[in-house]
Amino acid sequence: AQPGCAVLVVSNTGPMVPAYEIENLFEPFRRLRTERTGSDKGVGLGLSIVRSVVRAHDGTITAEPREGGGLVVRVVLPQ
C-alpha cells in the first residue's frame, strides 16, 4: 500500500522474460516469440490497453521479470 494510492500487483508464471523485452510487451501487437509463449493465439494488445487505461487515470505501470519465469506487473493509481 502507498498513502493516497491504490496499488495492484499481478504476478504470473511462465517462460523466462528477458528484462530487455519487457518494454516491448507494452507496445501494441507485440508478444514474445511463440516458442517462448507456447501459443500463437492473441494479438499482443493486453498490456498496451492496460497501460493506456492506467495513464488516462494518471497512474503508473511497471513490470519486471519474475524469478523462475513470468512477470510481476505493478499498477499504481492515485485516489
Side-chain angles (χ1 to χ4, degrees):
Q2 287 181 232
C5 295
V7 179
L8 171 68
V9 178
V10 177
S11 177
N12 68 357
T13 60
M16 296 294 291
V17 179
Y20 65 85
E21 289 275 10
I22 290 178
E23 190 57 35
N24 291 333
L25 295 176
F26 286 96
E27 295 299 320
F29 308 110
R30 296 296 297 266
R31 302 178 69 232
L32 290 177
R33 295 182 311 271
T34 57
E35 64 269 16
R36 289 190 182 276
T37 62
S39 169
D40 61 357
K41 294 180 180 173
V43 293
L45 289 173
L47 287 176
S48 66
I49 291 170
V50 172
R51 180 176 64 181
S52 294
V53 170
V54 169
R55 286 180 174 174
H57 292 279
D58 297 321
T60 60
I61 183 168
T62 58
E64 61 185 40
R66 189 174 165 271
E67 189 175 321
L71 291 174
V72 177
V73 178
R74 179 183 176 90
V75 174
V76 180
L77 296 169
Q79 292 181 329

